Amino acid sequence: MFKHDFFGNKSERSHVQYRGRFAPSPSGHLHFGSLIAALGSYLQAKHQRGKWLVRIEDIDKPREQLGADKSILSTLEAYGLYWDEQVLYQSQQSDLYDAVIAELLNQRMSYYCQCTRAQIKAIGGIYQGHCKHLNLSPDGSALRLINHHPIGQFSDKVQGEVLVNAALSGEDFIIHRRDGLYAYQLAVVIDDIYQGITEVVRGCDLLEPTARQITLYKTLAQPQPDYAHLPLAVTEQGYKLSKQNAAPAIDKTHPQPALISALTFLGQQPDPALVDASVEQIIGWAIDHWQLDKVPQRREISL
Ligand SMILES: [Zn+2]
C-alpha cells in the first residue's frame, strides 16, 4: 500500500480540507513554549474549520519520560485544545517506516554508510558521499538518502522566504541511524503524509530541518505541506524554553492566564474582558479572531 501512497502518486490537493497537527515528544510536561506551538497550530486549523491532530513523537526511547504523553494530552484538554481523530504514536509506525526504507533501498535512492561523526568532522562537517558506491552491509551502518533534491530556499507563512545553508541541505543525510533509531526527518515526513497534513505550524526551532523534509517529499514524489514557523519563547538569558532546560510546566488547574499570555505572544490582541472568561470562551474568541499575519517572526518574553 505504501507504494501506492508514498511513491509517484501525487494526490490531488485542491479541494482537500485543512489538516494541521501538534506533534510533541513525550520527554516532559507541556511548558509555555510548547503551549504556543499547540495553540498556534490549533487556531490556524480551527479558524479554517479544519481538523487538528495530535501525534506523539515517541521514537527516541532514551529521551522519553514515563507518563509524559498522558500528561501532555490531559494538559491540552485542560486548555480547551481538543484533537480530532485518534492520537497517533510514532512508536506504532515502524512497519510503515521500514516499508518506505525498503523501497528507498530497492529504488537505489539510499545507501549504507559507516563513517563516524569524527571522520565527517575532519573533512569539514559536511558529508561528501564517501560510502555511496561501497555497497556496505547494513550491520553497524547508518542509512543515507541520496539527495537528488537539495533545497536552498523555501517559503514560510510567518518567516517569509527562508534561505538554507546550501552545502548542508545538499548533503546525503541520514534517514535511519546506526543505533537503529529512525531519523526524525524521515518519521515526521512519513507521518505527515500518512495523516494527510496540509500545513505544518510549529516552532522556529524546526525551521532549518524543514529543507531536508522538503527534500524527502520530493524524493517520495508527494506534495509538500505549507509551513508556518512560530516565534520561539526564549528566556531573558536568550535560551529557548524547553524540556531540556527545565521550563516550568503550565498550570493545569487555572489555564486562563497562560492562554491569554500565549495569545498575546502570538500577536493576537485578546479582548480585555476575557480575563474573567472561561477556557471555552477564550478559545472560542481566539478561533474567531485568529490572524496568522499578526504573528511576529521573533519575540522575547521574560518569565
Ligand atoms: Zn560514509
Side-chain angles (χ1 to χ4, degrees):
M1 86 82 167
F2 68 88
K3 201 163 188 176
H4 181 74
D5 286 335
F6 281 88
F7 286 90
N9 185 8
K10 287 187 199 255
S11 47
E12 191 50 61
R13 258 291 154 73
S14 50
H15 299 292
V16 169
Q17 188 192 30
Y18 183 102
R19 289 170 70 85
R21 81 330 187 253
F22 173 57
S25 57
S27 51
H29 45 244
L30 211 66
H31 54 79
F32 188 73
S34 35
L35 173 63
I36 287 161
L39 184 64
S41 60
Y42 177 87
L43 294 175
Q44 176 70 355
K46 291 298 160 184
H47 183 72
Q48 298 174 71
R49 302 184 190 287
K51 299 265 192 214
W52 183 69
L53 312 184
V54 171
R55 180 167 77 227
I56 302 289
E57 302 208 322
D58 57 344
I59 45 167
D60 194 349
K61 288 284 169 202
R63 285 181 53 198
E64 263 174 54
Q65 204 183 86
L66 199 66
D69 59 331
K70 299 279 181 293
S71 152
I72 290 170
L73 294 174
S74 66
T75 307
L76 289 175
E77 288 176 328
Y79 276 73
L81 306 175
Y82 295 95
W83 52 93
D84 304 297
E85 304 181 8
Q86 215 181 350
V87 173
L88 182 71
Y89 282 78
Q90 283 195 321
S91 55
Q92 307 289 312
Q93 293 283 87
S94 358
D95 287 350
L96 183 57
Y97 304 152
D98 287 341
V100 174
I101 284 172
E103 187 62 19
L104 287 170
L105 276 164
N106 190 32
Q107 299 200 8
R108 300 190 188 285
M109 292 198 277
S110 61
Y111 59 89
Y112 290 109
C113 163
Q114 291 180 350
C115 298
T116 62
R117 206 170 280 191
Q119 283 170 323
I120 296 168
K121 208 176 165 193
I123 55 161
I126 305 282
Y127 188 70
Q128 307 287 353
H130 179 262
C131 302
K132 191 169 177 178
H133 302 292
L134 297 184
N135 277 317
L136 296 171
S137 93
D139 300 333
S141 299
L143 187 67
R144 288 183 183 271
L145 181 83
I146 300 181
N147 192 337
H148 289 301
H149 304 280
I151 302 298
Q153 189 174 3
F154 63 91
S155 298
D156 186 272
K157 287 189 174 176
V158 175
Q159 305 299 327
E161 285 301 307
V162 180
L163 291 173
V164 200
N165 179 323
L168 211 57
S169 70
E171 223 183 14
D172 288 347
F173 55 87
I174 291 176
I175 52 175
H176 198 198
R177 289 162 37 166
R178 187 197 306 262
D179 60 10
L181 293 183
Y182 303 101
Y184 166 74
Q185 320 292 355
L186 182 82
V188 81
V189 165
I190 292 177
D191 288 338
D192 280 336
I193 294 170
Y194 177 80
Q195 295 191 290
I197 300 303
T198 59
E199 185 172 81
V200 172
V201 180
R202 61 187 173 195
C204 252
D205 49 333
L206 294 167
L207 186 63
E208 239 192 53
T210 303
R212 289 184 171 188
Q213 289 164 30
I214 296 173
T215 294
L216 275 165
Y217 281 99
K218 292 194 181 296
T219 304
L220 299 170
Q222 291 288 320
Q224 73 195 59
D226 292 332
Y227 291 99
H229 284 85
L230 306 172
L232 284 189
V234 292
T235 65
E236 278 169 294
Q237 293 78 32
Y239 294 115
K240 181 200 146 193
L241 273 189
S242 71
K243 293 159 192 162
Q244 285 71 37
N245 61 32
I250 47 173
D251 185 355
K252 245 197 263 197
T253 53
H254 187 47
Q256 286 90 332
L259 264 182
I260 300 277
S261 303
L263 284 171
T264 307
F265 181 91
L266 287 167
Q268 315 299 302
Q269 288 157 325
D271 191 321
L274 289 172
V275 171
D276 299 315
S278 67
V279 168
E280 289 67 29
Q281 286 169 323
I282 297 173
I283 293 292
W285 179 93
I287 292 172
D288 290 345
H289 294 84
W290 172 250
Q291 286 181 281
L292 186 67
D293 58 9
K294 290 270 169 67
V295 176
Q297 293 187 338
R298 292 184 208 304
R299 174 142 241 174
E300 277 164 31
I301 50 159
S302 46
L303 291 169

